[in-house]
Amino acid sequence: MSTPIQLDIPFFAAPSAQVLTGGKTSAEALRRAQEQGLAKVVNLCPHSEDLGFDEPALAAELGLVYENIPIAGGGDLTRENAQRLAQAVADAGGPVLVHCMSSNRVGALFALKAHWLDGKSIDDALAEGRAHGLKAMEAGVRQLLER
């Protein structure tokens, strides 16, 4: 049995052995994660948010699959983006890191996926969202789920 990947990034969580979540990454954190077996990076930051390094280029250099699903705010919390997240995780081929700047959008999108695509109750979906980093956006996500 392999050791779970550990990342030194803000708001890091490992809701499962295959899905890691967190906030702003760094080049060094991605290098260490790749050495530990990370297969894919899913960045939810829009291009206007500066990570301080060229994450797509570094991912390519490290042999990591890279995908960007830009979530700038509540207006991007859509069923289509929840489906894109579900597909990105399903196609990862190994451990995947899903991140934004604070992990809040990560948790929000996982909560929506849990309810809209996985059929979980609103309370269970919100709990899943919190496990993946949902914090300040919870009230807005609840409103979306209750529609």
Side-chain angles (χ1 to χ4, degrees):
M1 185 160 131
S2 63
T3 304
I5 295 173
Q6 294 295 313
L7 290 174
D8 184 22
I9 61 174
F11 311 105
F12 175 73
S16 73
Q18 295 298 304
V19 177
L20 313 171
T21 62
K24 184 178 179 180
T25 61
S26 69
E28 186 56 36
L30 286 186
R31 284 187 184 94
R32 284 194 306 269
Q34 184 270 340
E35 291 169 358
Q36 295 177 61
L38 187 70
K40 184 173 189 174
V41 176
V42 178
N43 177 4
L44 300 187
C45 297
H47 299 292
S48 60
E49 291 183 33
D50 183 15
L51 294 174
F53 70 104
D54 187 343
E55 189 177 64
L58 180 60
E61 176 187 318
L62 296 173
L64 299 171
V65 176
Y66 180 85
E67 187 167 344
N68 180 239
I69 305 171
I71 307 293
D76 294 320
L77 295 175
T78 63
R79 183 179 296 273
E80 177 185 352
N81 282 333
Q83 290 170 327
R84 288 181 67 193
L85 174 67
Q87 194 64 52
V89 171
D91 292 345
V96 57
L97 169 65
V98 183
H99 79 87
C100 60
M101 293 301 248
S102 69
S103 79
N104 197 31
R105 288 170 283 182
V106 173
L109 204 53
F110 269 102
L112 297 174
K113 173 195 163 302
H115 183 68
W116 289 341
L117 305 179
D118 302 336
K120 294 191 177 186
S121 71
I122 290 173
D123 287 339
D124 288 347
L126 289 170
E128 186 159 329
R130 286 189 296 274
H132 287 82
L134 178 63
K135 296 175 285 302
M137 296 179 82
E138 184 169 340
V141 169
R142 178 177 286 278
Q143 287 179 336
L144 285 171
L145 295 175
E146 289 176 345
R147 286 188 187 160

